[in-house]
Amino acid sequence: VVVTYSGNAAEIWWAKIAPSLSRLKNLAVIDIPPAVVDQLTALLQRGMRMTAMVQDGELQLMTDDTNIALTAGVRMAPAA
């Protein structure tokens, strides 16, 4: 699994690398939207504790006072 998260830079990277990655049948490439990355960076603290729950293709990251729901875009899925 490869996770991209940097908006336009990820688009440029994907345009360059997608043809060569297409031969890898067991690779998944997902993209986290820039707005979600901004929400996640706002949570960062020293010694933080976070709970993660994955359900129905959605990731929820929870702290004591915040809950962020994340649905990543799929650029490439493993071959069936």
Side-chain angles (χ1 to χ4, degrees):
V1 176
V2 175
V3 179
T4 61
Y5 58 87
S6 59
N8 192 44
E11 293 293 332
I12 293 168
W13 171 82
W14 182 246
K16 283 183 179 180
I17 200 81
S20 61
L21 292 181
S22 65
R23 63 182 169 79
L24 302 173
K25 302 301 179 203
N26 62 345
L27 178 67
V29 181
I30 60 174
D31 184 59
I32 301 173
V36 175
V37 173
D38 292 341
Q39 289 178 323
L40 293 173
T41 57
L43 288 179
L44 295 178
Q45 299 174 15
R46 171 171 258 161
M48 66 186 290
R49 291 185 177 260
M50 188 176 291
T51 303
M53 181 175 70
V54 178
Q55 182 177 357
D56 298 328
E58 181 179 84
L59 168 66
Q60 288 189 11
L61 297 173
M62 298 162 275
T63 64
D64 290 338
D65 57 352
T66 305
N67 182 359
I68 296 176
L70 183 152
T71 302
V74 177
R75 291 186 187 269
M76 181 176 153

